[in-house]
């Protein structure tokens, strides 16, 4: 997935905001909670990082092209980074980004979820 496709997909999810920070990373948030981090540039492969459930973390962490997310997973957070081939297909990556968006939004207050029209709140 290239930078433009990544940003277009994340923008299509409800109540999202985008900021470029952390040395040029494209960071997507829902209600102020990060759900996707994409980084391109001098790296051979894009690094797309997303939040996952505990079960998905166990399934994905040792798959070729995927790894526990640097800086996040060592702190006990369940985040995966897609960094090399074969990794995930674009369709699967979109599904995981959508789920990451949902997981991040569940950490918002019920009031904010209602205000943003998320999770049927």
């Amino acid at each position: 997935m290239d930078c433009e496709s990544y940003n277009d997909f994340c923008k299509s999810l409800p109540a999202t905001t985008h900021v470029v920070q952390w040395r040029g990373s494209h960071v997507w948030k829902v209600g102020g909670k990060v759900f996707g981090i994409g980084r391109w540039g001098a790296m051979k492969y894009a690094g797309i990082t997303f939040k996952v459930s505990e079960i998905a973390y166990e399934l994905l962490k040792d798959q070729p092209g995927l790894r526990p997310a640097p800086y996040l997973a060592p702190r006990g957070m369940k985040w995966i980074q897609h960094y090399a081939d074969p990794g995930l297909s674009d369709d699967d990556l979109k599904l995981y980004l959508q789920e990451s968006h949902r997981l991040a939004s569940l950490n918002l207050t019920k009031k904010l979820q209602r205000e943003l029209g998320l999770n049927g709140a």
Side-chain angles (χ1 to χ4, degrees):
M1 180 179 288
D2 64 20
C3 183
E4 184 178 352
S5 298
Y6 165 79
N7 284 330
D8 286 345
F9 180 75
C10 290
K11 180 174 38 177
S12 75
L13 298 171
T16 59
T17 56
H18 172 252
V19 63
V20 177
Q21 61 188 67
W22 303 323
R23 295 187 210 155
S25 295
H26 290 260
V27 180
W28 283 90
K29 302 178 184 183
V30 56
K33 303 284 186 185
V34 174
F35 72 89
I37 304 167
R39 183 156 168 91
W40 289 264
M43 300 170 10
K44 183 176 180 182
Y45 295 99
I48 298 175
T49 304
F50 49 93
K51 186 175 188 157
V52 294
S53 69
E54 289 189 32
I55 293 170
Y57 182 83
E58 291 302 320
L59 291 171
L60 297 175
K61 69 179 182 168
D62 296 319
Q63 296 298 313
L66 305 176
R67 65 182 170 199
Y71 307 109
L72 298 170
R75 292 177 171 84
M77 298 180 213
K78 304 300 183 203
W79 286 74
I80 292 290
Q81 185 176 71
H82 174 283
Y83 72 99
D85 287 335
L88 298 167
S89 69
D90 284 358
D91 287 341
D92 286 342
L93 189 52
K94 287 176 182 179
L95 289 173
Y96 279 108
L97 285 166
Q98 186 173 17
E99 178 63 4
S100 182
H101 174 274
R102 188 187 74 79
L103 291 170
S105 72
L106 290 173
N107 289 320
L108 302 173
T109 64
K110 293 291 182 188
K111 179 182 178 187
L112 186 52
Q113 288 181 49
R114 276 191 305 277
E115 289 172 4
L116 296 174
L118 300 168
N119 307 316

mmCIF file of all heavy atoms in Angstrom, residues 5-39:
data_model
loop_
_atom_site.group_PDB
_atom_site.id
_atom_site.type_symbol
_atom_site.label_atom_id
_atom_site.label_comp_id
_atom_site.label_asym_id
_atom_site.label_seq_id
_atom_site.Cartn_x
_atom_site.Cartn_y
_atom_site.Cartn_z
ATOM 1 N N SER A 5 -2.714 5.773 -1.029
ATOM 2 C CA SER A 5 -3.784 4.797 -0.767
ATOM 3 C C SER A 5 -4.044 4.671 0.730
ATOM 4 O O SER A 5 -5.198 4.591 1.167
ATOM 5 C CB SER A 5 -3.417 3.428 -1.326
ATOM 6 O OG SER A 5 -3.259 3.481 -2.710
ATOM 7 N N TYR A 6 -2.974 4.647 1.503
ATOM 8 C CA TYR A 6 -3.094 4.576 2.963
ATOM 9 C C TYR A 6 -3.870 5.780 3.491
ATOM 10 O O TYR A 6 -4.837 5.636 4.236
ATOM 11 C CB TYR A 6 -1.692 4.502 3.580
ATOM 12 C CG TYR A 6 -1.634 4.785 5.059
ATOM 13 C CD1 TYR A 6 -1.989 3.815 5.993
ATOM 14 C CD2 TYR A 6 -1.201 6.020 5.530
ATOM 15 C CE1 TYR A 6 -1.924 4.073 7.355
ATOM 16 C CE2 TYR A 6 -1.128 6.279 6.876
ATOM 17 C CZ TYR A 6 -1.496 5.305 7.785
ATOM 18 O OH TYR A 6 -1.420 5.573 9.132
ATOM 19 N N ASN A 7 -3.466 6.968 3.091
ATOM 20 C CA ASN A 7 -4.140 8.182 3.571
ATOM 21 C C ASN A 7 -5.588 8.252 3.094
ATOM 22 O O ASN A 7 -6.482 8.629 3.858
ATOM 23 C CB ASN A 7 -3.374 9.431 3.155
ATOM 24 C CG ASN A 7 -2.133 9.653 3.992
ATOM 25 O OD1 ASN A 7 -2.074 9.281 5.158
ATOM 26 N ND2 ASN A 7 -1.124 10.250 3.391
ATOM 27 N N ASP A 8 -5.841 7.886 1.846
ATOM 28 C CA ASP A 8 -7.209 7.900 1.330
ATOM 29 C C ASP A 8 -8.098 6.941 2.120
ATOM 30 O O ASP A 8 -9.238 7.269 2.453
ATOM 31 C CB ASP A 8 -7.249 7.533 -0.154
ATOM 32 C CG ASP A 8 -6.757 8.640 -1.060
ATOM 33 O OD1 ASP A 8 -6.641 9.802 -0.599
ATOM 34 O OD2 ASP A 8 -6.475 8.346 -2.245
ATOM 35 N N PHE A 9 -7.576 5.749 2.414
ATOM 36 C CA PHE A 9 -8.388 4.790 3.159
ATOM 37 C C PHE A 9 -8.657 5.284 4.575
ATOM 38 O O PHE A 9 -9.799 5.263 5.040
ATOM 39 C CB PHE A 9 -7.730 3.405 3.206
ATOM 40 C CG PHE A 9 -8.565 2.435 3.979
ATOM 41 C CD1 PHE A 9 -9.726 1.912 3.430
ATOM 42 C CD2 PHE A 9 -8.237 2.094 5.278
ATOM 43 C CE1 PHE A 9 -10.542 1.049 4.156
ATOM 44 C CE2 PHE A 9 -9.037 1.236 6.015
ATOM 45 C CZ PHE A 9 -10.191 0.711 5.457
ATOM 46 N N CYS A 10 -7.625 5.725 5.271
ATOM 47 C CA CYS A 10 -7.810 6.191 6.656
ATOM 48 C C CYS A 10 -8.766 7.382 6.709
ATOM 49 O O CYS A 10 -9.585 7.484 7.620
ATOM 50 C CB CYS A 10 -6.467 6.535 7.283
ATOM 51 S SG CYS A 10 -5.418 5.094 7.603
ATOM 52 N N LYS A 11 -8.682 8.262 5.705
ATOM 53 C CA LYS A 11 -9.572 9.422 5.642
ATOM 54 C C LYS A 11 -11.032 9.000 5.472
ATOM 55 O O LYS A 11 -11.941 9.701 5.910
ATOM 56 C CB LYS A 11 -9.136 10.332 4.486
ATOM 57 C CG LYS A 11 -9.973 11.569 4.302
ATOM 58 C CD LYS A 11 -9.443 12.538 3.246
ATOM 59 C CE LYS A 11 -8.856 11.883 2.048
ATOM 60 N NZ LYS A 11 -8.418 12.835 1.003
ATOM 61 N N SER A 12 -11.254 7.852 4.855
ATOM 62 C CA SER A 12 -12.623 7.389 4.601
ATOM 63 C C SER A 12 -13.311 6.851 5.862
ATOM 64 O O SER A 12 -14.528 6.688 5.879
ATOM 65 C CB SER A 12 -12.624 6.295 3.528
ATOM 66 O OG SER A 12 -12.157 5.060 4.045
ATOM 67 N N LEU A 13 -12.551 6.582 6.910
ATOM 68 C CA LEU A 13 -13.128 6.065 8.147
ATOM 69 C C LEU A 13 -13.754 7.221 8.936
ATOM 70 O O LEU A 13 -13.311 8.369 8.827
ATOM 71 C CB LEU A 13 -12.058 5.347 8.976
ATOM 72 C CG LEU A 13 -11.431 4.123 8.287
ATOM 73 C CD1 LEU A 13 -10.245 3.610 9.078
ATOM 74 C CD2 LEU A 13 -12.464 3.039 8.068
ATOM 75 N N PRO A 14 -14.775 6.941 9.745
ATOM 76 C CA PRO A 14 -15.494 8.020 10.433
ATOM 77 C C PRO A 14 -14.655 8.743 11.493
ATOM 78 O O PRO A 14 -13.884 8.124 12.214
ATOM 79 C CB PRO A 14 -16.676 7.308 11.101
ATOM 80 C CG PRO A 14 -16.592 5.880 10.775
ATOM 81 C CD PRO A 14 -15.372 5.626 9.980
ATOM 82 N N ALA A 15 -14.860 10.053 11.543
ATOM 83 C CA ALA A 15 -14.333 10.923 12.612
ATOM 84 C C ALA A 15 -12.815 10.858 12.756
ATOM 85 O O ALA A 15 -12.288 10.837 13.862
ATOM 86 C CB ALA A 15 -15.025 10.598 13.942
ATOM 87 N N THR A 16 -12.112 10.836 11.628
ATOM 88 C CA THR A 16 -10.657 10.738 11.695
ATOM 89 C C THR A 16 -9.991 12.094 11.512
ATOM 90 O O THR A 16 -10.545 13.005 10.902
ATOM 91 C CB THR A 16 -10.115 9.778 10.616
ATOM 92 O OG1 THR A 16 -10.498 10.250 9.331
ATOM 93 C CG2 THR A 16 -10.614 8.363 10.835
ATOM 94 N N THR A 17 -8.789 12.187 12.039
ATOM 95 C CA THR A 17 -7.932 13.348 11.827
ATOM 96 C C THR A 17 -6.552 12.843 11.438
ATOM 97 O O THR A 17 -6.160 11.730 11.789
ATOM 98 C CB THR A 17 -7.823 14.244 13.077
ATOM 99 O OG1 THR A 17 -7.366 13.465 14.176
ATOM 100 C CG2 THR A 17 -9.166 14.876 13.417
ATOM 101 N N HIS A 18 -5.817 13.680 10.734
ATOM 102 C CA HIS A 18 -4.501 13.316 10.198
ATOM 103 C C HIS A 18 -3.491 14.355 10.605
ATOM 104 O O HIS A 18 -3.766 15.550 10.585
ATOM 105 C CB HIS A 18 -4.606 13.242 8.667
ATOM 106 C CG HIS A 18 -3.309 13.056 7.976
ATOM 107 N ND1 HIS A 18 -2.696 14.054 7.260
ATOM 108 C CD2 HIS A 18 -2.499 11.976 7.863
ATOM 109 C CE1 HIS A 18 -1.574 13.599 6.736
ATOM 110 N NE2 HIS A 18 -1.427 12.345 7.084
ATOM 111 N N VAL A 19 -2.315 13.894 10.967
ATOM 112 C CA VAL A 19 -1.204 14.785 11.269
ATOM 113 C C VAL A 19 0.077 14.096 10.813
ATOM 114 O O VAL A 19 0.168 12.868 10.843
ATOM 115 C CB VAL A 19 -1.154 15.145 12.780
ATOM 116 C CG1 VAL A 19 -0.912 13.924 13.635
ATOM 117 C CG2 VAL A 19 -0.126 16.221 13.069
ATOM 118 N N VAL A 20 1.020 14.888 10.340
ATOM 119 C CA VAL A 20 2.338 14.358 10.013
ATOM 120 C C VAL A 20 3.247 14.725 11.173
ATOM 121 O O VAL A 20 3.397 15.907 11.503
ATOM 122 C CB VAL A 20 2.864 14.924 8.675
ATOM 123 C CG1 VAL A 20 4.271 14.407 8.402
ATOM 124 C CG2 VAL A 20 1.925 14.548 7.539
ATOM 125 N N GLN A 21 3.785 13.728 11.827
ATOM 126 C CA GLN A 21 4.649 13.952 12.996
ATOM 127 C C GLN A 21 5.657 12.820 13.089
ATOM 128 O O GLN A 21 5.685 11.944 12.235
ATOM 129 C CB GLN A 21 3.824 14.083 14.279
ATOM 130 C CG GLN A 21 2.999 12.876 14.642
ATOM 131 C CD GLN A 21 2.067 13.134 15.818
ATOM 132 O OE1 GLN A 21 1.140 13.918 15.711
ATOM 133 N NE2 GLN A 21 2.316 12.468 16.917
ATOM 134 N N TRP A 22 6.472 12.821 14.118
ATOM 135 C CA TRP A 22 7.456 11.753 14.344
ATOM 136 C C TRP A 22 8.304 11.505 13.105
ATOM 137 O O TRP A 22 8.327 10.429 12.529
ATOM 138 C CB TRP A 22 6.788 10.460 14.818
ATOM 139 C CG TRP A 22 5.968 10.612 16.053
ATOM 140 C CD1 TRP A 22 6.234 11.405 17.128
ATOM 141 C CD2 TRP A 22 4.718 9.964 16.343
ATOM 142 N NE1 TRP A 22 5.237 11.293 18.056
ATOM 143 C CE2 TRP A 22 4.297 10.416 17.611
ATOM 144 C CE3 TRP A 22 3.926 9.055 15.670
ATOM 145 C CZ2 TRP A 22 3.128 9.987 18.209
ATOM 146 C CZ3 TRP A 22 2.769 8.623 16.265
ATOM 147 C CH2 TRP A 22 2.378 9.087 17.515
ATOM 148 N N ARG A 23 8.992 12.551 12.658
ATOM 149 C CA ARG A 23 9.901 12.483 11.511
ATOM 150 C C ARG A 23 9.213 12.090 10.210
ATOM 151 O O ARG A 23 9.711 11.272 9.455
ATOM 152 C CB ARG A 23 11.050 11.533 11.799
ATOM 153 C CG ARG A 23 11.939 11.986 12.906
ATOM 154 C CD ARG A 23 13.126 11.076 13.013
ATOM 155 N NE ARG A 23 13.559 11.059 14.395
ATOM 156 C CZ ARG A 23 14.218 10.081 14.960
ATOM 157 N NH1 ARG A 23 14.504 9.013 14.264
ATOM 158 N NH2 ARG A 23 14.580 10.148 16.212
ATOM 159 N N GLY A 24 8.039 12.637 9.982
ATOM 160 C CA GLY A 24 7.362 12.441 8.707
ATOM 161 C C GLY A 24 6.357 11.306 8.653
ATOM 162 O O GLY A 24 5.898 10.958 7.569
ATOM 163 N N SER A 25 6.022 10.743 9.778
ATOM 164 C CA SER A 25 5.010 9.682 9.793
ATOM 165 C C SER A 25 3.624 10.273 9.583
ATOM 166 O O SER A 25 3.297 11.325 10.132
ATOM 167 C CB SER A 25 5.035 8.936 11.126
ATOM 168 O OG SER A 25 6.251 8.253 11.289
ATOM 169 N N HIS A 26 2.801 9.561 8.817
ATOM 170 C CA HIS A 26 1.405 9.943 8.617
ATOM 171 C C HIS A 26 0.599 9.252 9.712
ATOM 172 O O HIS A 26 0.410 8.030 9.674
ATOM 173 C CB HIS A 26 0.920 9.527 7.226
ATOM 174 C CG HIS A 26 1.553 10.330 6.143
ATOM 175 N ND1 HIS A 26 0.908 11.390 5.549
ATOM 176 C CD2 HIS A 26 2.785 10.256 5.579
ATOM 177 C CE1 HIS A 26 1.714 11.933 4.655
ATOM 178 N NE2 HIS A 26 2.855 11.256 4.655
ATOM 179 N N VAL A 27 0.163 10.044 10.687
ATOM 180 C CA VAL A 27 -0.514 9.517 11.871
ATOM 181 C C VAL A 27 -2.002 9.821 11.761
ATOM 182 O O VAL A 27 -2.401 10.973 11.574
ATOM 183 C CB VAL A 27 0.071 10.143 13.167
ATOM 184 C CG1 VAL A 27 -0.639 9.605 14.396
ATOM 185 C CG2 VAL A 27 1.576 9.884 13.236
ATOM 186 N N TRP A 28 -2.814 8.774 11.888
ATOM 187 C CA TRP A 28 -4.273 8.902 11.829
ATOM 188 C C TRP A 28 -4.855 8.620 13.191
ATOM 189 O O TRP A 28 -4.439 7.679 13.879
ATOM 190 C CB TRP A 28 -4.847 7.961 10.775
ATOM 191 C CG TRP A 28 -4.621 8.512 9.411
ATOM 192 C CD1 TRP A 28 -3.537 8.288 8.607
ATOM 193 C CD2 TRP A 28 -5.463 9.423 8.717
ATOM 194 N NE1 TRP A 28 -3.666 9.010 7.432
ATOM 195 C CE2 TRP A 28 -4.844 9.708 7.474
ATOM 196 C CE3 TRP A 28 -6.686 10.017 9.011
ATOM 197 C CZ2 TRP A 28 -5.407 10.567 6.537
ATOM 198 C CZ3 TRP A 28 -7.253 10.868 8.076
ATOM 199 C CH2 TRP A 28 -6.610 11.141 6.857
ATOM 200 N N LYS A 29 -5.817 9.465 13.579
ATOM 201 C CA LYS A 29 -6.428 9.372 14.896
ATOM 202 C C LYS A 29 -7.939 9.398 14.780
ATOM 203 O O LYS A 29 -8.490 9.944 13.830
ATOM 204 C CB LYS A 29 -5.988 10.553 15.771
ATOM 205 C CG LYS A 29 -4.481 10.658 15.961
ATOM 206 C CD LYS A 29 -4.100 11.869 16.779
ATOM 207 C CE LYS A 29 -2.586 11.995 16.879
ATOM 208 N NZ LYS A 29 -2.196 13.121 17.737
ATOM 209 N N VAL A 30 -8.572 8.826 15.784
ATOM 210 C CA VAL A 30 -10.023 8.924 15.933
ATOM 211 C C VAL A 30 -10.257 9.446 17.351
ATOM 212 O O VAL A 30 -9.806 8.842 18.315
ATOM 213 C CB VAL A 30 -10.747 7.581 15.670
ATOM 214 C CG1 VAL A 30 -10.245 6.454 16.549
ATOM 215 C CG2 VAL A 30 -12.247 7.747 15.799
ATOM 216 N N GLY A 31 -10.906 10.599 17.448
ATOM 217 C CA GLY A 31 -11.145 11.193 18.760
ATOM 218 C C GLY A 31 -9.873 11.453 19.541
ATOM 219 O O GLY A 31 -9.867 11.389 20.762
ATOM 220 N N GLY A 32 -8.775 11.689 18.851
ATOM 221 C CA GLY A 32 -7.493 11.946 19.505
ATOM 222 C C GLY A 32 -6.691 10.698 19.808
ATOM 223 O O GLY A 32 -5.559 10.786 20.275
ATOM 224 N N LYS A 33 -7.227 9.515 19.527
ATOM 225 C CA LYS A 33 -6.538 8.241 19.776
ATOM 226 C C LYS A 33 -5.937 7.734 18.463
ATOM 227 O O LYS A 33 -6.633 7.610 17.455
ATOM 228 C CB LYS A 33 -7.488 7.175 20.332
ATOM 229 C CG LYS A 33 -8.198 7.563 21.613
ATOM 230 C CD LYS A 33 -7.269 7.478 22.784
ATOM 231 C CE LYS A 33 -8.038 7.723 24.083
ATOM 232 N NZ LYS A 33 -7.175 7.758 25.227
ATOM 233 N N VAL A 34 -4.663 7.407 18.483
ATOM 234 C CA VAL A 34 -3.972 6.928 17.287
ATOM 235 C C VAL A 34 -4.473 5.535 16.912
ATOM 236 O O VAL A 34 -4.608 4.668 17.764
ATOM 237 C CB VAL A 34 -2.446 6.885 17.524
ATOM 238 C CG1 VAL A 34 -1.724 6.258 16.340
ATOM 239 C CG2 VAL A 34 -1.901 8.277 17.809
ATOM 240 N N PHE A 35 -4.724 5.349 15.608
ATOM 241 C CA PHE A 35 -5.078 4.009 15.136
ATOM 242 C C PHE A 35 -4.208 3.557 13.968
ATOM 243 O O PHE A 35 -4.168 2.368 13.645
ATOM 244 C CB PHE A 35 -6.566 3.902 14.754
ATOM 245 C CG PHE A 35 -6.950 4.615 13.493
ATOM 246 C CD1 PHE A 35 -6.888 3.972 12.259
ATOM 247 C CD2 PHE A 35 -7.390 5.929 13.531
ATOM 248 C CE1 PHE A 35 -7.257 4.635 11.099
ATOM 249 C CE2 PHE A 35 -7.765 6.593 12.377
ATOM 250 C CZ PHE A 35 -7.692 5.949 11.152
ATOM 251 N N GLY A 36 -3.495 4.461 13.337
ATOM 252 C CA GLY A 36 -2.634 4.082 12.221
ATOM 253 C C GLY A 36 -1.448 5.008 12.101
ATOM 254 O O GLY A 36 -1.580 6.222 12.257
ATOM 255 N N ILE A 37 -0.292 4.419 11.830
ATOM 256 C CA ILE A 37 0.932 5.186 11.628
ATOM 257 C C ILE A 37 1.585 4.644 10.362
ATOM 258 O O ILE A 37 1.892 3.452 10.279
ATOM 259 C CB ILE A 37 1.911 5.025 12.813
ATOM 260 C CG1 ILE A 37 1.247 5.412 14.132
ATOM 261 C CG2 ILE A 37 3.181 5.851 12.569
ATOM 262 C CD1 ILE A 37 2.025 4.981 15.364
ATOM 263 N N GLY A 38 1.755 5.507 9.377
ATOM 264 C CA GLY A 38 2.395 5.100 8.127
ATOM 265 C C GLY A 38 3.641 5.929 7.889
ATOM 266 O O GLY A 38 3.627 7.143 8.059
ATOM 267 N N ARG A 39 4.695 5.254 7.514
ATOM 268 C CA ARG A 39 5.949 5.964 7.263
ATOM 269 C C ARG A 39 6.555 5.465 5.956
ATOM 270 O O ARG A 39 6.687 4.269 5.740
ATOM 271 C CB ARG A 39 6.915 5.739 8.409
ATOM 272 C CG ARG A 39 8.199 6.512 8.245
ATOM 273 C CD ARG A 39 8.856 6.752 9.580
ATOM 274 N NE ARG A 39 10.208 7.244 9.411
ATOM 275 C CZ ARG A 39 10.533 8.524 9.350
ATOM 276 N NH1 ARG A 39 9.587 9.440 9.452
ATOM 277 N NH2 ARG A 39 11.764 8.899 9.201
#
